[in-house]
């Protein structure tokens, strides 16, 4: 059985017109699943609470903002455009979040969502693996 939910569902032209906050919504889910899967694979003997706490350290807005700042220079012009469009979209940051970090995180999530809906799995995997690398390096410094 093959899972082709996204195969040929969105053209590049269609994806460019999706609301950036909708792309961020998709990206948030994709990123969360990736991080949880990565952490379970790395911590097979850990309990759920420990894995959850590690996941939160990767998915909170401050962390996403930090990761995005680390990889922004590696983005293509197209990817940078998606990121900036989402980062600059008016949205309400949660009360406990820094607005600048929240906007960078929104841009990051929109980029992930964009790559996902276009089925650009090689590029998506490259970026997500860079994030894990940066996150693991940052964790070692604390």
């Amino acid at each position: 059985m093959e899972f082709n939910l996204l195969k040929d569902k969105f053209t590049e032209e269609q994806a460019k017109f999706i609301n950036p906050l909708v792309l961020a919504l998709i990206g948030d889910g994709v990123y969360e699943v990736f991080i949880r899967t990565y952490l379970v694979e790395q911590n097979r003997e850990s309990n759920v609470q420990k894995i959850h706490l590690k996941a939160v350290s990767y998915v909170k807005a401050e962390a996403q903002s930090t990761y995005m700042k680390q990889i922004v220079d590696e983005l293509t012009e197209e990817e940078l455009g998606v990121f900036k469009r989402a980062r600059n979209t008016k949205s309400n940051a949660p009360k406990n979040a820094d607005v600048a970090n929240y906007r960078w995180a929104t841009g990051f999530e929109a980029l992930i969502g964009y790559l996902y809906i276009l089925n650009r799995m090689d590029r998506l995997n490259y970026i997500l693996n860079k994030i894990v690398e940066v996150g693991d390096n940052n964790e070692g410094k604390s």
Side-chain angles (χ1 to χ4, degrees):
M1 188 165 115
E2 195 172 319
F3 185 69
N4 282 328
L5 180 64
L6 291 175
K7 189 171 174 91
D8 301 323
K9 295 291 183 196
F10 294 94
T11 66
E12 194 172 314
E13 192 64 25
Q14 290 168 330
K16 287 180 182 178
F17 289 102
I18 295 175
N19 182 314
L21 298 179
V22 172
L23 291 174
L25 174 73
I26 294 167
D28 177 58
V30 170
Y31 181 62
E32 178 89 25
V33 169
F34 171 82
I35 289 299
R36 287 181 179 201
T37 304
Y38 168 76
L39 291 173
V40 167
E41 192 258 330
Q42 295 295 309
N43 304 281
R44 292 174 192 246
E45 303 302 319
S46 247
N47 67 39
V48 171
Q49 182 64 16
K50 286 181 182 176
I51 292 171
H52 171 72
L53 290 175
K54 279 191 173 207
V56 168
S57 75
Y58 278 92
V59 300
K60 63 185 178 182
E62 181 183 0
Q64 290 179 357
S65 173
T66 298
Y67 302 148
M68 191 65 204
K69 289 173 184 173
Q70 296 276 332
I71 66 164
V72 72
D73 292 336
E74 295 187 45
L75 300 181
T76 66
E77 188 176 318
E78 175 189 9
E79 293 167 349
L80 188 59
V82 171
F83 161 73
K84 285 181 175 180
R85 194 167 59 111
R87 182 196 61 192
N88 297 335
T89 297
K90 183 168 174 29
S91 62
N92 295 321
K95 291 178 187 175
N96 62 343
D98 174 79
V99 173
N101 282 340
Y102 184 76
R103 290 188 178 199
W104 273 76
T106 300
F108 168 75
E109 290 175 345
L111 172 62
I112 299 300
Y114 182 77
L115 294 172
Y116 181 76
I117 66 166
L118 287 178
N119 206 22
R120 294 186 182 164
M121 296 305 157
D122 287 343
R123 187 63 178 158
L124 182 61
N125 279 313
Y126 174 79
I127 288 173
L128 292 173
N129 282 296
K130 290 290 282 185
I131 297 306
V132 165
E133 184 181 303
V134 170
D136 288 349
N137 287 338
N138 287 346
E139 189 174 288
K141 293 176 184 174
S142 354

